[in-house]
């Protein structure tokens, strides 16, 4: 199977933890170049591929780094930094040959060791993205350990040895967790995380271009020789404290592109920005995580209560009234735009509003331990979530006859930290936006025991075994069958409650042209052009 300079057929669409729509504060009016201005959110952690598992940092890394593989706007994967990626007969040993003309923005060459050392940094230091290496030789089930299966052959060749066959390894390698790092960052990750040096289309405008909680400014990387050369002078991500503020700046011409609009504008933005807006599905899902460490949500009592809450949420009403039909009630844990998606999995009726059944399940849980207190749904105030959270809380309150309400948290970064520290003290809104185009990506990082984004502390050995089976499948049909079996377990346990699938509700000003959105619902930055008169 020679993939040298070949296109890799992957059906459209898939998600990075879709845990943010906006964040921070700041002003779009003080950008340092004539680049494109977009909404963004303050990264939770240092800008290192192994430490970034949320959209705020992920969007920046995607602009600054190139991987072995990249994804076209429709989700098709194509070789990028890799000249070829070839498996052995059973897909357990892969040989990677790199283009020899690729450089980092500091002018140093991108060599095999820049990949192998970067990946080893993630697994040996147990960074957030370690679980993406759990199928590699040398790591444990959490992706932690020395990557003994990743070996340098020569300056521009290395091999990847897997524990089990993986027919679709190439589809995964376009995710930023698999990015290379320059020697300067490998030698000093702390500095590299604050002043990142990448090999992608863009680079930092200056060493102080990341103004924390305000914005980050990128300019074209003159050392970049790949196929995604920027058609603009750079991009600035402004970290807003509300989507309403970002939308107002778009209307005023201070922002060029938004990848989301506030709930207050959902019904009208396509008229306001007629001809410069979009409303179309992408691979993303909104969920409600109810951590299993919360009182009343452990064991059988917790399972019954999660099922009851799921059936107490009127998804049809919320998506119709708040989102004007721009969201689709969820029927599984993935996204309809992905290959292998099914809207009729056994047990999916738990995701349908059913007042009678919800009351019955809640009563069964009360028989185990009577409910007390208030059911809270935490959300970041900077993301435009208040309206749907209030609606969901009211639906739960009216159906189950309990106190339920939203719990506002100042910004996305703070909420993520509370999730990680397990101090959030409530259920919380969550979601997923594709890392790579596969339903496996919507399951493994979120629900496998100790996985990178398993914020609810879910663990089920039967589910883990099926995900391992899916990862080691020899073809797409086998992988999909195992993944769907795994989802049937999730529909019983409900580690999170699927709510609805996303549409990208984007808009742009007259200042820019050539705006398109990709399989992840993100604007294709390199293609956007600034109008000459602006």
């Amino acid at each position: 199977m020679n993939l040298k300079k070949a296109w890799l057929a992957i059906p459209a669409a898939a998600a990075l933890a879709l845990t943010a729509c906006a964040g921070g504060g700041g002003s779009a009016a003080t950008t340092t170049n004539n680049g494109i201005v977009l909404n963004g959110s303050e990264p939770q952690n240092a800008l290192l591929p192994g430490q970034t598992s949320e959209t705020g940092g992920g969007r920046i890394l995607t602009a600054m780094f190139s991987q072995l593989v990249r994804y076209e706007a429709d989700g098709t994967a194509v070789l990028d930094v890799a000249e070829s990626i070839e498996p052995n007969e059973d897909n357990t040993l892969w040989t990677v040959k790199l283009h020899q003309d690729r450089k980092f923005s500091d002018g140093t060459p991108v060599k095999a060791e820049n990949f192998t050392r970067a990946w080893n940094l993630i697994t040996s230091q147990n960074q957030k993205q370690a679980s993406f290496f759990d199928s590699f030789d040398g790591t444990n089930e959490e992706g932690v350990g020395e990557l003994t299966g990743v070996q340098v052959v020569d300056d521009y060749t290395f091999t990847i040895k897997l524990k089990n066959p993986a027919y679709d390894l190439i589809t995964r390698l376009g995710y930023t967790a698999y990015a290379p790092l320059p020697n300067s960052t490998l030698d000093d990750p702390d500095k590299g995380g604050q002043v990142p040096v990448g090999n992608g289309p863009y680079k930092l405008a200056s060493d102080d271009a990341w103004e924390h909680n305000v914005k980050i400014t990128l300019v074209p990387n003159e050392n970049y020789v790949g196929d995604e050369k920027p058609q603009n002078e750079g991009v600035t991500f402004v970290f807003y404290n509300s989507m309403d503020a970002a939308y107002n700046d778009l209307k005023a011409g201070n922002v060029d592109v938004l990848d989301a609009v506030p709930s207050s504008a959902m019904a009208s933005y396509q008229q306001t920005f007629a001809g410069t807006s979009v409303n179309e599905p992408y691979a993303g899902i909104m969920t409600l995580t109810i951590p299993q460490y919360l009182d009343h949500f452990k064991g059988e009592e917790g399972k019954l209560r999660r099922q009851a809450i799921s059936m107490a949420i009127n998804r049809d009403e919320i998506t119709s009234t708040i989102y004007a039909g721009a969201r689709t009630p969820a029927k599984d844990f993935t996204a309809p735009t992905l290959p292998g998606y099914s809207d009729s999995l056994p047990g999916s009726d738990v995701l349908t509003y059913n007042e009678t059944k919800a009351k019955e399940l809640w009563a069964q849980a009360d028989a185990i331990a009577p409910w007390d207190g208030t059911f809270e749904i935490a959300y970041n105030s900077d993301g435009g979530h208040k309206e749907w959270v209030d609606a969901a809380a009211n639906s739960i309150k009216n159906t189950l006859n309990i106190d339920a309400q939203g719990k506002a948290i100042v910004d996305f970064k703070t909420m993520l930290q509370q999730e990680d520290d397990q101090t959030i003290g409530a259920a919380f809104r969550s979601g997923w936006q594709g890392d790579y185009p596969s339903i496996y990506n919507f399951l493994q990082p979120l629900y496998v025991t100790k996985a990178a984004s398993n914020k609810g502390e879910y663990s089920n050995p039967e589910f883990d075994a099926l995900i391992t089976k899916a990862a080691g499948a020899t073809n797409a049909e086998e992988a999909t069958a195992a993944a769907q079996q795994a989802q049937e377990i999730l529909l019983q346990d409900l580690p999170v409650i699927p709510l609805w699938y996303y549409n990208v509700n984007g808009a742009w000003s007259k200042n820019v042209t050539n705006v398109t959105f990709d399989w992840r619902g993100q604007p294709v930055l390199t293609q956007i052009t600034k109008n000459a008169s602006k």
Side-chain angles (χ1 to χ4, degrees), residues 84-406:
S84 65
I85 305 175
E86 300 180 3
N88 63 355
E89 290 185 0
D90 68 355
N91 294 326
T92 58
L93 183 66
W94 297 73
T95 300
V96 178
K97 292 185 180 297
L98 305 179
H99 288 290
Q100 298 187 24
D101 60 349
R102 303 304 174 94
K103 295 180 179 180
F104 291 100
S105 60
D106 63 2
T108 59
V110 179
K111 294 185 176 182
E113 69 169 2
N114 296 111
F115 283 95
T116 61
R117 289 182 63 195
W119 296 359
N120 260 301
L121 177 67
I122 295 172
T123 60
S124 64
Q125 298 298 315
N126 191 16
Q127 293 183 348
K128 284 181 174 292
Q129 301 287 54
S131 66
F132 282 91
F133 297 88
D134 64 352
S135 62
F136 288 41
D137 253 18
T139 64
N140 62 18
E141 65 277 3
E142 297 172 22
V144 179
E146 183 182 354
L147 283 178
T148 55
V150 178
Q151 296 291 330
V152 172
V153 177
D154 59 42
D155 278 354
Y156 295 98
T157 308
F158 67 97
T159 57
I160 303 170
K161 189 173 190 305
L162 304 176
K163 300 173 186 175
N164 298 296
Y167 77 97
D168 66 341
L169 177 67
I170 295 172
T171 70
R172 309 177 195 181
L173 293 176
Y175 180 42
T176 52
Y178 302 110
L181 289 174
N183 292 341
S184 59
T185 299
L186 291 166
D187 294 339
D188 189 350
D190 290 340
K191 180 180 179 182
Q194 294 302 315
V195 187
V197 174
N199 64 321
Y202 294 97
K203 67 176 185 177
L204 285 181
S206 62
D207 284 354
D208 58 356
W210 181 6
E211 300 176 50
H212 288 279
N213 300 306
V214 178
K215 65 185 178 182
I216 189 167
T217 303
L218 310 180
V219 295
N221 173 13
E222 67 276 9
N223 288 310
Y224 177 76
V225 297
D227 295 331
E228 295 183 297
K229 284 190 172 295
Q231 303 303 304
N232 49 63
E233 295 183 26
V235 294
T236 296
F237 294 99
V238 179
F239 308 148
Y240 282 94
N241 54 23
S242 78
M243 283 309 302
D244 287 292
Y247 188 67
N248 287 336
D249 261 359
L250 179 67
K251 290 192 290 185
N254 296 325
V255 166
D256 296 311
V257 184
L258 292 186
D259 66 352
V261 300
S263 299
S264 59
M266 194 63 68
S268 61
Y269 82 95
Q270 287 182 280
Q271 287 73 45
T272 303
F273 292 94
T276 61
S277 59
V278 66
N279 178 12
E280 60 188 25
Y282 73 92
I285 186 172
M286 177 68 81
T287 57
L288 175 63
T289 298
I290 307 178
Q292 303 199 21
Y293 54 77
L294 294 179
D295 289 342
H296 293 293
F297 288 100
K298 302 177 180 69
E300 183 64 19
E301 179 196 356
K303 181 188 293 189
L304 290 166
R305 294 202 188 280
R306 288 190 297 276
Q307 292 173 354
I309 288 169
S310 178
M311 301 183 90
I313 298 174
N314 193 331
R315 296 165 179 78
D316 288 328
E317 184 176 272
I318 294 171
T319 55
S320 174
T321 58
I322 293 179
Y323 291 112
R327 303 286 184 269
T328 303
K331 299 299 182 184
D332 81 331
F333 292 79
T334 66
T337 52
L338 295 169
Y341 166 79
S342 173
D343 64 358
S344 56
L345 294 172
S348 61
D349 56 336
V350 75
L351 305 183
T352 300
Y353 179 65
N354 186 327
E355 182 177 1
T356 300
K357 185 64 174 177
K359 290 179 183 293
E360 291 176 1
L361 292 165
W362 196 259
Q364 291 176 34
D366 277 344
I368 297 174
W371 173 260
D372 60 332
T374 299
F375 182 76
E376 293 184 308
I377 302 174
Y379 65 95
N380 51 302
S381 296
D382 58 359
H385 300 286
K386 184 180 189 304
E387 289 83 358
W388 79 255
V389 168
D390 287 346
N394 284 333
S395 188
I396 293 167
K397 179 179 180 179
N398 294 334
T399 301
L400 300 178
N401 195 29
I402 63 171
D403 288 333
Q405 62 187 31

